[in-house]
Amino acid sequence: MVDFAQPENAFKPGLPGAAEPACRVVPKYSDQGEREGDWLEISMGPQHPSTHGVFRMDLVLEGETVIRLKPVFGYLHRNHEKIAEQTTYLSSMPYTDRLDYFCSMTNNWAYALAVEKLAGLQVPERAEYIRIITAELTRLQNHACLMGFLMQDLGAMGTPLMYAFREREKILDLFEALSGARMMCNYMRFGGCRIDLPPGWLEQTRRLVADFPRFLDEFEALLTGNEIVMARLQGVGALSRELAINAGISGPMLRASGVNYDIRKVDQYGIYNRFEFRVPLGAHGDCYDRFMLRLLEMRESLRILEPALKDIPSGPIIDARAKLRNFKPRPGEAYGRIEAPKGELGFYLVSDGSANPYRYRVRPPSLINLTILEDLCLGQKVADVVIILGSVDIVLGEVDR
């Protein structure tokens, strides 16, 4: 049992923004009050270039081994949920783009799904296909970048991340042609989508999907069998199946620990029940499994995209009953959730019949998945902490909201 009793002058982590020393040596005492050695307290961040956003970790080390870790966030808090309760339902759609700013299309979808349940709206067939296509393209670019960032955390500066960003740029070109924006798309609407696909968009997307396996093959050949990657990732930051379930972990983090749970299969929201795809699972729950799982999930996204692009029908793209002006759902509550690239993204809404939500609450996967960071890092070396954080895949816009 580690004794965390500290003298009065010991470093105590403060509020975000407080001036803190980068590190400090703290004496370690036995139960009898005798000094046994020293602990080193390190404040890692928020300036650290590899901590995936404005985020800090307060670490206590014994030698190079982590014996305590406290995540410190709040630097990016924007009051998203309270702002949404003071504005109309539709006006909150652009705010959802800023949650996971890598994945605005899926953010839009989760929010639209909650409002559609509240208002009883039906989404036309064509819009359902468009939503699935944009969501799986979002999954491709999110997972590709996660793998690139993880390699950068390992010290592979340049090539893997640039490969990932090369493919991401192609997908963002498609989003820009569709919505007018590369990242903050603001594309979904209650009951459907804002505008129809522009001419030639489907053909460009089909070409991208046809070429994407070459990128995956390159990445797999370059990285998965690399002895340095394997040595640094295998057996590091293992998450047990039991802890993953008990902590409410979702998405690739959960499935890497061997839990067969994918909301696309469980809820079959949208029209996912029409597509054949597998749910990859890990065996050890370590950083390597989390890395490999993203690669396998991208291949399954391609299996969804190919028939979706082939079978997309013509027709309307929004429910004719959707009133975007003076929109006032009936009183009640609804929870809409999707399998976002990082896990379960949910919106809980309570309507009192007015134009604004009475209650608006976001269930962000980045925040929930971050709660077990200390469990993953205890007993690991300090050099592995940033790698473990990178394998979790967080965005601070979603953590802080």
Side-chain angles (χ1 to χ4, degrees):
M1 178 66 70
V2 177
D3 181 10
F4 289 116
Q6 299 177 8
E8 291 183 2
N9 64 345
F11 164 52
K12 296 179 176 61
L15 295 173
E20 304 287 2
C23 63
R24 179 174 295 180
V25 175
V26 177
K28 175 186 175 183
Y29 294 96
S30 68
D31 295 338
Q32 291 75 33
E34 298 178 357
R35 183 165 178 170
E36 293 186 333
D38 292 324
W39 290 327
L40 181 65
E41 292 184 332
I42 298 177
S43 182
M44 186 179 287
Q47 77 287 346
H48 198 284
S50 297
T51 49
H52 302 267
V54 191
F55 176 67
R56 191 174 95 213
M57 293 180 285
D58 290 328
L59 296 140
V60 178
L61 306 177
E62 188 163 28
E64 294 187 16
T65 303
V66 177
I67 60 172
R68 186 170 63 187
L69 184 149
K70 177 184 176 183
V72 182
F73 40 84
Y75 299 92
L76 208 61
H77 183 57
R78 301 185 304 277
N79 209 26
H80 174 99
E81 291 157 329
K82 282 302 174 186
I83 289 174
E85 292 170 10
Q86 307 303 318
T87 187
T88 63
Y89 285 87
L90 181 59
S91 297
S92 292
M93 186 64 80
Y95 282 102
T96 66
D97 292 339
R98 275 80 178 168
L99 290 170
D100 181 354
Y101 38 79
F102 264 70
C103 304
S104 69
M105 286 291 193
T106 48
N107 300 346
N108 289 175
W109 193 2
Y111 177 52
L113 192 63
V115 176
E116 286 156 6
K117 288 184 177 181
L118 203 57
L121 298 175
Q122 297 295 320
V123 180
E125 283 276 299
R126 183 172 177 82
E128 291 281 25
Y129 274 87
I130 294 174
R131 287 181 172 188
I132 280 186
I133 291 168
T134 54
E136 295 307 318
L137 288 173
T138 299
R139 200 178 314 277
L140 289 179
Q141 60 97 10
N142 178 85
H143 286 0
C145 289
L146 177 278
M147 295 173 69
F149 283 131
L150 186 58
M151 291 302 105
Q152 183 170 260
D153 292 342
L154 280 168
M157 307 298 289
T159 303
L161 185 59
M162 291 302 102
Y163 274 30
F165 267 76
R166 178 192 66 190
E167 301 307 310
R168 178 175 182 251
E169 287 300 302
K170 298 174 185 177
I171 295 174
L172 295 190
D173 286 343
L174 293 173
F175 288 169
E176 184 179 20
L178 176 59
S179 69
R182 298 176 67 79
M183 291 182 66
M184 311 305 172
C185 297
N186 186 24
Y187 178 66
M188 306 291 180
R189 288 295 181 267
F190 313 138
C193 302
R194 175 160 55 90
I195 54 175
D196 205 349
L197 303 177
W201 193 88
L202 283 175
E203 288 70 24
Q204 294 177 22
T205 307
R206 291 187 184 108
R207 285 197 295 271
L208 182 144
V209 170
D211 293 341
F212 206 86
R214 177 183 176 183
F215 159 71
L216 294 181
D217 293 341
E218 288 177 345
F219 237 44
E220 187 168 0
L222 180 67
L223 301 174
T224 57
N226 183 287
E227 62 184 45
I228 297 176
V229 172
M230 295 172 69
R232 293 297 307 278
L233 296 183
Q234 288 183 345
V236 174
L239 173 62
S240 69
R241 174 189 177 95
E242 293 73 20
L243 178 58
I245 294 171
N246 293 338
I249 306 304
S250 60
M253 282 281 291
L254 179 67
R255 292 188 287 275
S257 297
V259 182
N260 188 356
Y261 189 84
D262 188 313
I263 297 174
R264 294 173 296 177
K265 292 283 191 181
V266 174
D267 288 1
Q268 297 186 347
Y269 61 93
I271 52 172
Y272 271 112
N273 59 336
R274 302 184 187 180
F275 301 97
E276 292 291 333
F277 65 98
R278 297 170 295 182
V279 178
L281 300 176
H284 307 98
D286 56 10
C287 288
Y288 190 81
D289 276 5
R290 292 193 281 274
F291 167 76
M292 282 298 301
L293 201 79
R294 268 81 177 204
L295 180 67
L296 297 174
E297 285 196 355
M298 284 192 281
R299 295 196 185 276
E300 296 307 309
S301 289
L302 295 175
R303 292 186 62 189
I304 296 171
L305 283 165
E306 290 171 359
L309 290 165
K310 177 183 177 182
D311 299 336
I312 181 172
S314 58
I317 58 163
I318 195 165
D319 188 338
R321 298 175 297 138
K323 297 179 180 180
L324 300 183
R325 292 184 179 180
N326 300 320
F327 182 77
K328 297 179 180 180
R330 61 183 181 273
E333 61 181 351
Y335 179 67
R337 64 175 189 168
I338 67 166
E339 185 64 43
K342 293 175 174 63
E344 179 182 339
L345 173 61
F347 286 80
Y348 172 70
L349 301 173
V350 178
S351 171
D352 59 1
S354 67
N356 303 347
Y358 174 77
R359 185 73 175 95
Y360 177 107
R361 179 75 171 87
V362 183
R363 192 272 187 204
S366 290
L367 174 63
I368 307 300
N369 293 349
L370 188 60
T371 59
I372 45 84
L373 182 62
E374 182 179 43
D375 299 274
L376 300 181
C377 293
L378 289 179
Q380 303 291 327
K381 300 302 182 184
V382 65
D384 295 327
V385 169
V386 173
I387 299 171
I388 294 169
L389 175 66
S391 73
V392 176
D393 190 12
I394 61 169
V395 163
L396 266 294
E398 188 175 73
V399 171
D400 290 337
R401 303 184 301 291

